[in-house]
Structure formats: structure tokens, C-alpha cells
Amino acid sequence: MRDAALADRLFTSDALEIPGRSLAWKLFLLSDEPLQQAAPDAEATPPIRSLQASRQKYARLLKKHMRAPDGTYEEGSVIPGTMISHERQAPSDNLETNNPLSLHNENPWKEWFASVELRKTILQDVERTFPEIAFFREPEVQMQLTNILFIYSTVTNPAVGYRQGMHELLAPLYYAVDYDSSEELADESAIKELCARTWVAADAWALFEAIMRGSSRWYEWREPSAVGRVNSSPFVTHVNIPAGPVNIKPYITPVVEDCNRIQSTLLRTTDPLLWKHMQAAGIEPQIYGIRWLRLLYTREFALDAAMKLWDGLFACDPTFELAPWICVAMLIRIRNELIPSDYSGQLTTLLRYPTFSTPNAPHHTSILLRQALELQMSPTQSTGNSLVIENRNFLNIPAEVPEPPPPPQRRGARSRDKTSTAAGGRTTTDSRLLSNPQMNLENFARSLLERGENLGINKTIMSAVPELRRNLSDLAASFVRSPSATSFPLIDERPPEERPPWEPKSRFEIEREIVALQSTNKRLGESLAWAVDVLLQDEAEAKDLQRLQKSRREALEAISYVRDVLTSHHSGLEEERLFGEEELARRKKAAEDKSNPVMHVYEPAAPSPVPVVDSRSAMPPPVAISPSAPAASTNPALSPTSSAANLAPWRYTRSNFSSGALPSATLPRVPPPTSAALRRPPEVSREKSRPPSAPRQTHTQSKTEHDPLGVL
């Protein structure tokens, strides 16, 4: 039977409902199966004895833990092989400790209420078990599954308890046992008791316990307590301090250890290329390994295929030491999808494992199981290569890894027009640009800006700016050092190829990328500026038409090269493709002249004379001043008859106050007069010129005479 299960000859059908599957599982999994090695004179133990013992144990546990403290059971509870009573017992005399409303620590109702909450949690997962199969929607089936998981988590394995995923391991077992159960067999048939319908739940519980003996380690989530530790001190609270060194390591769950071993050790020794690409992409083995191991591949394959895989797995290894090697064989099978993909592509493939059909070959699960046995017996790279050849022969999977797919077009990017190449190497798009460059220049500039936005250039720079601002002070301080300090290069702690892909970039890497990006953008901008200037030249004003047409062709080629650089994320730039021949020669000559500068001494030019404008040219002429007033000509320096040789340059420079070169209207406003005599009317001036003995005429004139500033 074991050989037939491994060779895919035990059950020829691939359907979900296969008669006799639960009988084979009972023979493979039960502890005292008749297939075990026994003494020559010993009789083989019939499997019915093991089933009878497990059935009675399940009935006792169910009857004990499903009963409330008052002796009653829930409505609809069924315990196989016993008669349950829903009558209440007599109330307890000690109501302080046995009372649903009591808060005493020894109150049995507290444990009962906790078990009720646990059954509710289990029922929520059971209701979502294989929703596409109507059998698991029946209330009776859901109640039996809940009871089995409750008994296992509270009685047989309380250290682990109930964890999500156990219901998907129990459901196929219960389905197979229920399908093989029957009450229509003859009474004298020995198989009637083996397939009794009354004990379906008990038999499913026995199979589930046998599976969890090998897979319960993948559900452990807490560090086991120190049980059975011997204390050499007579004092209970005495602390034993070891004399030697103490190595304290963090606790890692067994399922995480197995996942890391699958990818870091087993896969690395059998398929180094696949391991390298998965490590480079940053795939954590826990993402897929926990689900593969805990659920025994019921999510990766259809339920009928998973149960067929279980047939061979239960037959050859009930302890599930082969399960990690099955994971390695599954990874090698999909290596053509994992190697050329990035992180998101690999994650999608691992979480949505592809299906394979083998119409004229053994079932793909049987091939997978045989490949896992080969890897377990010979974990080498040559064995991994032989698996690739087997997958090509049986499953039509190519042995050569395909090229990575092109990057998908970003959302919002405009589709390019398909251009046909004309004779002479010019495309139709180039011809349209040559015919009317001004019409297409605006559209080209708009599409260029949108393409730069779609490529994420602006987004990358803007996302890096806040980080640079926060680290600006540290960055500036790192560049400042004392003259006596030792100089260290500004390098990263680890090279980029040695860092994991999920580790963020340092600020030095971000700064270098931004500087390189700005330099590239500047050179592309200079190329576009030159191309635009060439395209905007008028043919009518050109002296050499052929030279202009050649320059335009070179400008269009430069624009095409800039387009290719922006769309293909090309890092290096070819200088000869950014400009034309003449422009490139001119730039090279300018670079040479800049590298060999010549010192020129420039003499400052003589300053031009500043014209002075009479700001009062539009005012009335000044009134004659009395001879008794002090005259301005008394100063010899200001006298017109003084010699010009004895005066400073700014003293004898001829003024053009009266020339009227510029009208006074050009000034912001007319400046106010500086003498009160200019504000006096002519008659007041004449009155002032009279001798002192002359009588005053009016009172107003007297006030004006004593008011030299003209306030009154």
C-alpha cells in the first residue's frame, strides 16, 4: 500500500470523493498499525483495537468538558456512545464558589465561560472553512469540527492551544472519514465497526491527533517553560548563577527556523541561482513558508490534489520530516517565474501558486513527492538540475529561464506613435518635425514634461529633500574638520551589494544620486536648448541653406536621443549624440580655452561728466535783493573774476544751470525755495528797499518785515 501510494497507484481517480481513503490513512497514521515491525511470534494488532481505545477516550473527554458546572449540556450536543441528560442538578450548597455571578477565583463557572468564548472563536474559523464545498456549510458538521478542535486545544495540547489553520487540517480528515462511513454493511462484516457512522467525529479526532504529533511544532508561538529543572539548592527562591559563560539567545519559533532553513540552507545547496535571486529581491521565507507548512499545501493546490499529496506523505513519512523538502521542490518547479521577476512578481507567484496539468503523465503531486524524496536523499546541485529536467519532460516546463519582462508602462504615459522608417534613415515623425517644427515644438515640450513626471524624477527629488533638510546640520558638520584631525573618506558602513534590499539608503547615497540626476538633467536641458534654437531658425534669413538643414537633422537626432534616455532610465550619456558637429566642436574649443586661461589686464575707462540740470528753470526769475543784504560775490572763491587755476576742479567746472538742457518737468517735483525773499510780492520787495526813515504803510507790511521765513 505504501509503495502504491508513492507510485500513484493506490487510488486511480483524481476526484475528491474516493472510497477507502480514510481506511488507508488510519493504517498509515495510527500508533499501533499492523504495518509496524513486530516479533516473528507476535500477532499483528488489528487496527480496530486502536480505534476503539481512541473512541472511548474522545467520548469521555467530550462528556467531561462539554458539561456545564450545573450538570447540563448545550442544546443539540451529541456525545457518541453515551446518553446525555439536559436536566439540571441540585444547586450547590456553597453558592459563594459555585455561582455564575460569583467572582471567586475557584468558581468553576469562570472556566466554563472561558471555554464558551473559545468555542465561539473556533466556530468563526470553521464557518469559513472551504466555502466552495457545501458539505462544510452543514450545521452538524460545523459543530463536530468545533468540538474536535476544542478538545484538542484545551485537553491534549493546552501549551499551544488553538491556532488559526488547524481547522483546515481537520476538515479534509473529517470529510474522508464521513464519506467512508456507512450503516448498511452486514452485521457479520468486520469492517462495519471500522466504518461506523456513529464514531465519525472520534475517528477524525484520532487522525487529527496523529497529524498534530508531527506538525504541532509549526503552531508553537511561546517559549516552553522550564519543566523538570532540578534545583540543587534547598531554598526554593535561591538563584543559581552558573560559573561559566552564559549564552542567551532570543527565542525563535520552530516554524520560523524551518522556513529559514528551507530558503537559506536547503534551497541554497540545491538551486543556488534561484536562492540568489530570491535573496536579492528580499523575499522573506516566512511569507510563504508558514502557510505551506501549517496547512500542508491545502491553499497551494486544490483540495482533491492536496488530499492526493497527503496519501503519499502519510504513507512514507507520518512525522513530516519530508515537508520542508516538498517546499524546496515546489520552489524549483516555479523557478522560471521567480528568477526573472522582482519582489512583487515573486510574492504574487509564491502566494498564488500556479497549477500544472499532466494529461499523459503521473499526477503532479506524485511527481512532487518523488522529487522531495530525491532531494532529501541527495541534497546537491546536480539533484536540483535533474528536477529541472524532470519538470521539462513531465510538466512541459522549459529548462531555460526566460528573459525578464519589460517594465510596464506607467499610468498616464502617452502611447508613442508607431513610425515607419523612411529611406535615408529618417522616420515619418522626423519628417513632420522638419516640415513644421514650430507646430510640434509645444507638443513635444509638453510630452517631455509629462514623461519626466511619469518617470518619477520630480517625485524622487521631492521625497529626498525633507531627508536632506533634516540631516543638513549633520552633513555640514561631517565636512568640517580641524586641521589636525585625521581625514576619513565619507563612505557607507557597508557596500550596497552586501546590504539587504529592505535596508534604506544612506544620506550620502541619496545625495550622490541627486547630484548625478541634476547633472544629467542639466546636460539634457542644454541639448534641448540648442536643438530648439536650431529648429527656430528661419530659412529665409539663412546664408547657407544646406548647412541649416544639416543642423536641423542633427537637432532632431539629439531630441530623439534625449527621448530615449528619459524613457529607458539610461545612466550614461554620449556627448556626441547630444549636439551637432559644429556645436560639439565649439564646446570642445570653449572647454580647452577654459582649461588654459589667459590673464588680461583691463584699464578702467574715464568717467563721463555728469550733467547738472537747473531744477528751478521753470520758476519765475528771482526778485532783486536789497544792497544792504550780504552779497554772495564777497567770497573770493566764488567770485566770477577769480582765477580758475586757484580753484578745485569741482569749483571751476562750468555749470549749465541756465542752459535749460532738460526741462524741470523731468524731476519728481519742483524743489522748494530756500529764501523768504522769493515768496514776497514785488511791492514788498520795493518797500524793503526804502530807507529806514520812510514810514511804514500798513500793519500787514510790518508783520511781513519781521517774518523773514514767510510764515505769516
Side-chain angles (χ1 to χ4, degrees):
M1 290 179 63
R2 286 175 172 171
D3 295 340
L6 289 176
D8 196 16
R9 292 184 286 103
L10 183 60
F11 304 110
T12 57
S13 176
D14 296 340
L16 184 63
E17 299 175 349
I18 297 178
R21 172 169 278 167
S22 65
L23 300 180
W25 289 357
K26 290 175 184 178
L27 294 176
F28 295 153
L29 295 175
L30 294 181
S31 58
D32 52 352
E33 52 174 299
L35 301 179
Q36 291 181 350
Q37 298 292 334
D41 55 347
E43 295 182 358
T45 305
I48 190 61
R49 297 183 183 179
S50 176
L51 284 178
Q52 289 175 350
S54 63
R55 288 171 179 176
Q56 296 300 326
K57 181 180 179 180
Y58 177 74
R60 289 194 307 269
L61 294 176
L62 196 64
K63 185 177 181 180
K64 177 181 178 181
H65 293 277
M66 295 298 293
R67 182 176 56 189
D70 59 353
T72 60
Y73 295 87
E74 294 182 355
E75 293 293 336
S77 300
V78 177
I79 298 179
T82 60
M83 297 296 294
I84 61 175
S85 175
H86 294 280
E87 297 179 359
R88 289 184 176 273
Q89 296 180 352
S92 177
D93 297 335
N94 190 2
L95 297 178
E96 183 179 357
T97 58
N98 191 356
N99 185 4
L101 302 179
S102 176
L103 300 179
H104 200 274
N105 294 332
E106 298 179 358
N107 185 12
W109 286 96
K110 296 179 63 178
E111 183 179 356
W112 169 255
F113 291 146
S115 64
V116 171
E117 292 297 327
L118 178 59
R119 285 199 298 271
K120 290 181 180 179
T121 303
I122 295 174
L123 182 60
Q124 291 178 358
D125 293 338
V126 168
E127 291 176 348
R128 298 192 295 265
T129 303
F130 299 111
E132 68 277 2
I133 301 177
F135 174 77
F136 298 106
R137 306 280 70 79
E138 299 177 5
E140 177 66 21
V141 175
Q142 293 180 355
M143 184 187 67
Q144 295 296 342
L145 294 177
T146 304
N147 293 339
I148 294 172
L149 294 173
F150 172 72
I151 293 299
Y152 174 81
S153 59
T154 56
V155 180
T156 60
N157 199 3
V160 177
Y162 172 75
R163 309 295 296 172
Q164 284 187 347
M166 294 180 179
H167 61 287
E168 296 198 17
L169 285 180
L170 175 61
L173 301 174
Y174 190 90
Y175 186 87
V177 174
D178 183 82
Y179 183 75
D180 289 337
S181 63
S182 177
E183 297 291 351
E184 301 177 358
L185 298 175
D187 295 340
E188 62 273 13
S189 177
I191 203 173
K192 179 179 180 180
E193 188 176 0
L194 191 65
C195 299
R197 192 168 185 81
T198 307
W199 302 100
V200 171
D203 294 350
W205 175 75
L207 294 177
F208 181 71
E209 272 204 326
I211 290 180
M212 292 303 294
R213 279 195 294 268
S215 62
S216 62
R217 65 181 185 272
W218 296 326
Y219 288 92
E220 295 179 5
W221 56 281
R222 291 180 297 186
E223 185 176 3
S225 58
V227 180
R229 184 176 298 172
V230 180
N231 191 357
S232 60
S233 176
F235 302 100
V236 180
T237 58
H238 183 72
V239 179
N240 292 325
I241 301 177
V246 180
N247 296 327
I248 300 177
K249 297 181 180 180
Y251 174 71
I252 302 177
T253 57
V255 65
V256 175
E257 290 182 348
D258 288 348
C259 292
N260 293 331
R261 187 169 66 94
I262 288 171
Q263 181 168 319
S264 302
T265 304
L266 306 183
L267 182 63
R268 186 176 184 178
T269 56
T270 55
D271 197 339
L273 180 62
L274 177 58
W275 170 81
K276 179 180 179 181
H277 283 81
M278 294 184 69
Q279 288 292 110
I283 293 293
E284 291 290 337
Q286 296 89 342
I287 298 176
Y288 62 91
I290 291 179
R291 192 175 77 174
W292 290 9
L293 294 176
R294 282 186 175 179
L295 305 183
L296 287 180
Y297 322 109
T298 55
R299 291 283 186 89
E300 281 57 52
F301 306 110
L303 185 57
D304 54 348
M307 295 175 72
K308 197 172 186 63
L309 178 62
W310 285 11
D311 295 338
L313 182 60
F314 295 163
C316 64
D317 186 15
T319 60
F320 304 126
E321 295 294 336
L322 188 63
W325 291 105
I326 294 177
C327 297
V328 177
M330 292 172 62
L331 292 174
I332 296 177
R333 178 172 291 184
I334 58 175
R335 67 193 305 268
N336 289 351
E337 285 80 10
L338 296 178
I339 292 178
S341 302
D342 55 356
Y343 176 82
S344 59
Q346 292 184 7
L347 188 62
T348 303
T349 305
L350 292 171
L351 297 183
R352 297 179 181 178
Y353 197 82
T355 58
F356 300 92
S357 60
T358 55
N360 299 325
H363 199 268
H364 66 91
T365 57
S366 301
I367 299 174
L368 186 67
L369 190 64
R370 186 170 63 250
Q371 292 176 350
L373 289 172
E374 294 177 6
L375 292 173
Q376 188 182 29
M377 290 185 293
S378 177
T380 58
Q381 187 175 356
S382 60
T383 308
N385 296 333
S386 65
L387 264 61
V388 175
I389 302 302
E390 290 181 4
N391 293 332
R392 183 193 63 184
N393 297 335
F394 292 110
L395 303 177
N396 298 326
I397 300 176
E400 296 79 10
V401 180
E403 294 294 332
Q409 187 177 7
R410 295 181 179 271
R411 185 178 179 181
R414 297 186 177 182
S415 60
R416 300 179 183 176
D417 297 334
K418 296 182 179 180
T419 59
S420 58
T421 305
R426 186 186 303 172
T427 60
T428 56
T429 305
D430 298 340
S431 302
R432 291 196 302 268
L433 286 175
L434 282 175
S435 60
N436 194 354
Q438 296 181 359
M439 180 182 64
N440 296 320
L441 183 61
E442 184 179 357
N443 296 333
F444 170 75
R446 186 182 297 106
S447 62
L448 189 63
L449 292 176
E450 293 179 358
R451 189 166 299 165
E453 184 70 23
N454 295 328
L455 291 176
I457 297 175
N458 298 337
K459 185 178 180 181
T460 303
I461 297 177
M462 295 306 296
S463 60
V465 166
E467 182 69 20
L468 291 176
R469 287 180 177 176
R470 287 193 297 267
N471 301 328
L472 188 59
S473 58
D474 299 338
L475 185 62
S478 63
F479 284 100
V480 179
R481 62 178 184 269
S482 59
S484 61
T486 306
S487 176
F488 295 95
L490 293 177
I491 59 175
D492 300 330
E493 297 180 358
R494 288 186 296 175
E497 58 271 7
E498 296 182 3
R499 292 201 311 267
W502 58 86
E503 183 176 337
K505 296 181 180 180
S506 63
R507 64 175 183 267
F508 302 110
E509 288 183 317
I510 296 176
E511 182 183 4
R512 286 195 296 267
E513 291 179 359
I514 292 178
V515 171
L517 184 61
Q518 291 177 350
S519 177
T520 303
N521 291 342
K522 182 179 179 181
R523 296 173 67 185
L524 294 178
E526 293 176 356
S527 176
L528 289 178
W530 169 79
V532 170
D533 293 341
V534 172
L535 293 176
L536 290 179
Q537 293 182 10
D538 192 3
E539 296 182 357
E541 299 179 359
K543 298 180 180 179
D544 191 351
L545 185 59
Q546 295 181 356
R547 179 181 177 184
L548 177 60
Q549 292 178 355
K550 178 182 178 182
S551 300
R552 286 187 174 182
R553 284 196 299 269
E554 293 174 348
L556 289 175
E557 292 175 358
I559 292 175
S560 302
Y561 177 68
V562 172
R563 177 199 61 191
D564 296 338
V565 169
L566 294 177
T567 54
S568 61
H569 305 278
H570 186 65
S571 57
L573 295 180
E574 300 178 10
E575 190 72 20
E576 60 273 6
R577 299 186 61 182
L578 292 175
F579 305 97
E581 296 180 359
E582 296 183 1
E583 180 67 15
L584 190 61
R586 188 188 65 81
R587 287 177 173 269
K588 289 182 179 180
K589 183 178 180 181
E592 293 176 357
D593 295 343
K594 188 175 181 180
S595 60
N596 300 321
V598 180
M599 298 300 295
H600 297 280
V601 179
Y602 297 96
E603 296 181 358
S608 58
V610 179
V612 180
V613 182
D614 187 5
S615 59
R616 294 178 295 177
S617 58
M619 296 180 60
V623 183
I625 303 176
S626 173
S628 60
S633 61
T634 56
N635 191 353
L638 300 179
S639 176
T641 60
S642 62
S643 176
N646 298 328
L647 297 179
W650 56 85
R651 291 294 188 180
Y652 65 81
T653 302
R654 183 176 296 276
S655 173
N656 58 351
F657 284 171
S658 59
S659 61
L662 293 177
S664 60
T666 58
L667 296 177
R669 60 182 178 86
V670 179
T674 57
S675 176
L678 299 177
R679 293 180 177 269
R680 297 172 183 172
E683 56 274 11
V684 176
S685 300
R686 287 192 298 267
E687 184 67 23
K688 185 67 177 175
S689 58
R690 293 181 181 180
S693 60
R696 299 177 181 176
Q697 297 178 1
T698 58
H699 182 69
T700 304
Q701 293 178 355
S702 176
K703 290 183 178 180
T704 305
E705 182 180 1
H706 295 283
D707 186 24
L709 297 180
V711 176
L712 299 180

